[in-house]
Amino acid sequence: TNIDHLLTYTVSSGVATITGTSEDVSGNITFSSEIDGYPIEEIGEEAFMMMYDIEGIKIPEGVKKIGKYAFWFCDGITSVELPESLVEIGSNAFAYCESLESINLPANLDSFAVNFLDGCSALTSIDLTYFNTKKVKNMRYMFNDCKSLTGLDLSKFNTDKVTNMDN
């Protein structure tokens, strides 16, 4: 379901940041890469926080950042499709999405808060195949409380700069 007509946003320097929706949304959602002629480059802090009835989300190409707590406690989400344009994920962005089963991490992602998947207890797989690990320094809580994670191939995961792997 396209939710363009429900999005609220701000504009700065000619680009839009999604700040939320005019009403709760549900089901599998998507939105366009621009709104009222402004390219969407960011999903702001708390934009979809605690919208329990979202089941899946496809974030459009062009979005570069997902803010802190953007999808926090959206515990109905089972799948997330992230765009290749994404470079940053904020803290707790998908934390406690307890039904989330899988997520892809795009190759361009180079900044993420280590706890962005905290409490995703249904998460069974994470595709790290093309994930750029060169800037990863802190892996603390990276997979905290991901109880269903059955396999994780870290063979290409560069841990040369990692200084903290505590959980």
Side-chain angles (χ1 to χ4, degrees):
T1 306
N2 185 295
I3 61 167
D4 285 0
H5 63 289
L6 299 174
L7 294 174
T8 58
Y9 65 97
T10 59
V11 175
S12 178
S13 301
V15 297
T17 296
I18 301 302
T19 57
T21 60
S22 58
E23 59 187 65
D24 280 357
V25 295
S26 62
N28 291 304
I29 63 169
T30 187
F31 51 90
S32 301
S33 59
E34 35 177 75
I35 190 163
D36 293 334
Y38 298 104
I40 299 171
E41 290 191 0
E42 182 176 343
I43 298 174
E45 294 182 13
E46 304 177 3
F48 296 92
M49 184 172 82
M50 299 177 77
M51 291 194 189
Y52 304 114
D53 295 326
I54 297 174
E55 296 171 10
I57 184 161
K58 180 179 180 182
I59 298 172
E61 201 57 49
V63 172
K64 296 178 181 177
K65 179 181 178 182
I66 299 174
K68 298 188 296 187
Y69 299 97
F71 295 94
W72 187 67
F73 265 105
C74 290
D75 58 10
I77 291 178
T78 59
S79 65
V80 174
E81 190 174 329
L82 300 175
E84 286 302 314
S85 57
L86 190 67
V87 295
E88 182 179 347
I89 299 177
S91 70
N92 294 292
F94 294 99
Y96 300 99
C97 291
E98 295 173 345
S99 300
L100 182 62
E101 296 172 358
S102 65
I103 190 169
N104 65 306
L105 298 181
N108 293 323
L109 184 66
D110 67 6
S111 177
F112 62 92
V114 293
N115 58 346
F116 78 99
L117 292 171
D118 191 10
C120 293
S121 55
L123 191 64
T124 58
S125 67
I126 302 170
D127 184 355
L128 297 171
T129 306
Y130 302 105
F131 180 54
N132 178 358
T133 62
K134 292 177 186 169
K135 294 184 179 182
V136 176
K137 294 181 183 174
N138 187 344
M139 292 177 64
R140 187 170 193 207
Y141 300 116
M142 185 176 252
F143 306 112
N144 187 50
D145 207 19
C146 293
K147 299 174 191 173
S148 300
L149 196 57
T150 56
L152 189 60
D153 181 1
L154 296 176
S155 61
K156 295 181 182 176
F157 205 95
N158 180 350
T159 57
D160 291 346
K161 296 180 182 177
V162 174
T163 58
N164 189 346
M165 292 181 78
D166 293 343
N167 204 8

